[in-house]
Amino acid sequence: KLLQVGLKNIQFESVDFIKTLKNFPRKLPMRLPKNILQIRSPNDRKAVFIMTTLPLILYVNELILRDRVQIKNLRLKSAEGISLGQQENFFLRNQTTKLGLKKLNFGILLKHVDIIPPSLAIAQSAEESGWGTSRFAREGNALFGQRTWKKGNGLVPKKRATGEKYKVRSFKHLIDGVHSYARNLNHHFAYKVFRAKRANLRENGLRIDGLSLADTLFSYSERGHDYIQTIKKIIRKNRLALFDNARLRNSSATVTSSPDA
């Protein structure tokens, strides 16, 4: 069962202790703690941030993997000449429509429906939100600095250039922003290289790790190469790769880096 909670229900430990954990509480904080700006120690603030964001990332990965497993099972079933049921066809049509595909292609679907390495997600959210201290993170539950030009929820950057009309997307809860971030990397045409490299790692039985995939994110920020180097530095300096094998307690799905059958 999944429990969405406030931060008062979460027990925080030191960064060093957190890095020894393999299983994390199945609790999703709805927002960052109000007093995060008052946490003086950078290490303590990082610990709070990781214990807030990591369960969210792991949960979103579980949902993605659940869909991925279903797609693989239906591909096998279809290859064996077994007719798919109404709900199964509806599921595949829905997945295909979300990608804007004209017809079902299992190979393409599987390239899009896959996990985001926790190390990469933590590093990007840390960079974009200042480890949870930015106005966008505190007021808009926006951890990944996603821009929007649509009318609706969004925060106007104070230093937005004259003539610019974009806002930074805001969300009701933190989990909504994590879902949006994962969809962005998994669906947007700008991250085609990201998905291709991830698929290549899987096909070769290699671990899907944040450092490898960070090199493909040249379109994520206007800073381009400098942004990529910053993300890789955050992963290395904070040893975030340790979280790529983390799980939620009582996980119903196992996030793996095994090659496709």
Side-chain angles (χ1 to χ4, degrees):
K1 236 181 180 183
L2 189 68
L3 180 63
Q4 193 169 77
V5 298
L7 266 293
K8 63 182 180 181
N9 302 104
I10 301 295
Q11 180 178 352
F12 295 107
E13 307 286 354
S14 70
V15 170
D16 289 337
F17 176 77
I18 290 172
K19 288 174 182 175
T20 68
L21 298 178
K22 297 294 183 183
N23 298 299
F24 287 79
R26 185 170 284 274
K27 296 180 180 180
L28 304 187
M30 292 182 289
R31 60 189 64 84
L32 290 162
K34 294 181 180 179
N35 68 338
I36 195 166
L37 290 177
Q38 281 71 57
I39 302 176
R40 295 181 177 276
S41 166
N43 281 337
D44 288 347
R45 191 183 304 122
K46 287 179 180 181
V48 169
F49 185 79
I50 291 171
M51 281 299 290
T52 303
T53 57
L54 182 56
L56 302 170
I57 296 161
L58 295 177
Y59 178 65
V60 168
N61 274 341
E62 277 191 0
L63 297 181
I64 292 170
L65 187 64
R66 183 185 65 187
D67 286 345
R68 181 179 176 81
V69 168
Q70 187 170 355
I71 292 169
K72 290 174 69 175
N73 289 338
L74 294 179
R75 178 179 64 175
L76 180 61
K77 192 173 178 180
S78 180
E80 293 175 346
I82 301 173
S83 297
L84 303 183
Q86 184 177 353
Q87 288 187 334
E88 292 170 330
N89 280 313
F90 176 80
F91 168 78
L92 290 174
R93 281 198 303 272
N94 185 49
Q95 293 289 324
T96 300
T97 301
K98 284 194 296 186
L99 297 178
L101 301 178
K102 293 182 179 179
K103 62 179 181 179
L104 172 63
N105 184 305
F106 285 107
I108 293 177
L109 279 182
L110 289 171
K111 279 190 176 182
H112 286 266
V113 183
D114 208 343
I115 63 171
I116 311 297
S119 59
L120 181 64
I122 294 172
Q124 287 195 268
S125 59
E127 170 65 11
E128 297 292 341
S129 73
W131 291 97
T133 62
S134 74
R135 176 172 66 97
F136 306 117
R138 291 181 289 107
E139 297 179 12
N141 293 313
L143 299 175
F144 296 95
Q146 298 172 79
R147 293 183 177 183
T148 181
W149 284 262
K150 297 178 180 179
K151 293 182 179 180
N153 292 337
L155 298 175
V156 177
K158 293 179 179 178
K159 296 182 179 180
R160 188 178 67 178
T162 303
E164 292 283 3
K165 299 195 184 272
Y166 72 87
K167 296 180 181 179
V168 173
R169 286 191 65 184
S170 59
F171 302 92
K172 185 177 181 180
H173 297 135
L174 290 172
I175 189 64
D176 302 319
V178 180
H179 277 300
S180 178
Y181 160 76
R183 280 195 300 269
N184 190 29
L185 292 186
N186 278 340
H187 292 174
H188 199 283
F189 67 87
Y191 307 111
K192 184 177 181 179
V193 177
F194 167 87
R195 296 188 290 272
K197 187 165 187 176
R198 180 178 61 187
N200 184 260
L201 290 172
R202 267 203 187 278
E203 289 165 5
N204 287 284
L206 300 175
R207 186 166 63 93
I208 297 178
D209 70 286
L211 275 177
S212 295
L213 293 178
D215 282 323
T216 69
L217 297 181
F218 40 82
S219 295
Y220 199 92
S221 168
E222 294 174 348
R223 292 164 53 202
H225 180 72
D226 288 342
Y227 177 80
I228 288 173
Q229 294 309 307
T230 296
I231 296 303
K232 293 174 74 171
K233 182 177 180 180
I234 292 173
I235 292 174
R236 290 193 183 103
K237 182 178 179 181
N238 297 281
R239 299 171 63 210
L240 297 181
L242 292 172
F243 297 118
D244 282 344
N245 293 318
R247 304 285 182 273
L248 290 176
R249 290 175 190 160
N250 303 317
S251 291
S252 57
T254 303
V255 179
T256 71
S257 298
S258 60
D260 291 334

